[in-house]
Amino acid sequence: MRYRLGRTLIPAPEIQARVRELAGVISRDYAHRDLLLICVLKGAAIFWGDLCRALRVPSQSDFVAMESYGDSTSPLEEPRFTKAADVSLSGRDILIVEDIIDTGHTSVRLRELLYAAGPRSLAMCALLDKAERRQVVTPIEYSGFVIPNAFVVGYGLDFDQQYRHLSHIAVLESLPED
Ligand code: IMP
Ligand code: MG
């Protein structure tokens, strides 16, 4: 299959406006708390960069990376961290910063792993929510946009490590074989 960049789903100015709104709500909710942003590499890196700079409360940040589920979602093969957090999570107010919640499996597992480290609170901030695709229930306390069931790229999200640099979110189109 060949692919190409397709139509714009969310233009850059809309993303920027929504990130500012989310940062406003998070700043209100986390005033006088001990906010630790956990950015999930690699897809959330650009979102994290804009979000943390728009916050009006102090925050610390750390980074994790997860093994991917691929196509198998067997509970016998729970994905682990390929990079765990460096700082202690115990007693912290953790806000996970994610690019997209699709089936929900990564989020469920990530919450389990982080919860085991004993934070005071744990919440999810995801830029995109592909709600139609959900297979397991997982809360998204701060959600940027609910999007339809399409493969999207840009603003950190990739296809084969491409397109992360785009300032907007676009649909990846598959081309017919010739
Ligand atoms: P899950 O299905 O909710 O476990 O999502 C797992 C991961 O798949 C997300 O964190 C993304 O990294 C990736 N993913 C899911 N949908 C898309 C997409 O449309 N574009 C790019 N990456 C995606
Ligand atoms: Mg991800």
Side-chain angles (χ1 to χ4, degrees):
M1 199 77 115
R2 292 185 305 128
Y3 298 90
R4 74 165 176 221
L5 196 60
R7 71 187 172 87
T8 296
L9 188 65
I10 313 174
E14 272 183 43
I15 299 174
Q16 292 303 322
R18 186 70 184 122
V19 170
R20 280 194 300 274
E21 276 176 10
L22 288 172
V25 176
I26 293 165
S27 297
R28 192 194 63 206
D29 291 356
Y30 284 84
H32 315 297
R33 287 170 72 184
D34 184 20
L35 177 57
L36 175 63
L37 303 172
I38 295 286
C39 171
V40 186
L41 297 173
K42 304 171 188 168
I46 291 183
F47 176 40
W48 165 83
D50 284 344
L51 184 73
C52 70
R53 288 180 295 171
L55 292 174
R56 298 188 307 269
V57 290
S59 68
Q60 290 185 332
S61 292
D62 201 352
F63 301 85
V64 299
M66 293 280 285
E67 274 175 357
S68 90
Y69 269 92
D71 287 334
S72 101
T73 51
S74 160
L76 296 176
E77 300 166 45
E78 295 286 354
R80 289 162 301 189
F81 287 126
T82 55
K83 187 218 170 295
D86 296 321
V87 304
S88 168
L89 309 181
S90 173
R92 307 299 306 271
D93 290 308
I94 295 182
L95 182 61
I96 305 168
V97 181
E98 257 287 26
D99 51 359
I100 186 166
I101 311 294
D102 183 23
T103 63
H105 287 287
T106 304
S107 171
V108 165
R109 182 63 179 146
L110 191 54
R111 290 182 87 116
E112 266 173 21
L113 289 168
L114 294 174
Y115 194 72
R120 183 163 69 164
S121 67
L122 185 57
M124 168 66 71
C125 176
L127 180 70
L128 304 175
D129 173 6
K130 230 189 264 184
E132 284 171 41
R133 292 254 308 162
R134 201 75 83 251
Q135 294 176 0
V136 286
V137 176
T138 186
I140 309 176
E141 286 82 357
Y142 305 93
S143 170
F145 301 91
V146 176
I147 63 165
N149 180 13
F151 195 87
V152 294
V153 295
Y155 199 69
L157 290 106
D158 76 306
F159 170 70
D160 200 16
Q161 304 301 331
Q162 287 183 85
Y163 308 121
R164 294 192 195 275
H165 65 285
L166 298 174
S167 298
H168 66 287
I169 304 268
V171 174
L172 191 75
E173 263 180 19
S174 53
L175 297 170
E177 299 294 340
D178 42 25

